Amino acid sequence: MKEKQNISVEPRVLEAVKQAAVDGRLTCTAARRLAGELDVPVRVVGAACDALGIKIKACELGCF
């Protein structure tokens, strides 16, 4: 079983994820693009999604 890590998420990342999500969902492609734009690791965007209750859909790499 995979353990969840305690990852600190900056407010700017939380806000960006909130804005990017549609109907409480975010595609894997959009999450990876957002991580690049914000210059944060993909796992931080994933942690933001978890914190906000946003589901990742169409995951391509099994990261989420």
Side-chain angles (χ1 to χ4, degrees):
M1 180 180 351
K2 194 174 177 181
E3 286 186 40
K4 289 202 174 208
Q5 296 178 354
N6 227 0
I7 298 174
S8 178
V9 182
E10 297 174 48
R12 70 181 181 97
V13 176
L14 290 168
E15 187 57 36
V17 168
K18 247 193 271 190
Q19 294 296 318
V22 177
D23 294 328
R25 295 177 171 261
L26 190 64
T27 65
C28 182
T29 301
R32 289 185 11 246
R33 184 180 320 116
L34 193 57
E37 290 171 3
L38 296 170
D39 196 28
V40 297
V42 173
R43 75 179 86 199
V44 172
V45 172
C49 289
D50 287 344
L52 295 168
I54 293 171
K55 301 288 184 187
I56 298 290
K57 65 180 185 173
C59 188
E60 300 158 352
L61 302 174
C63 297
F64 302 100

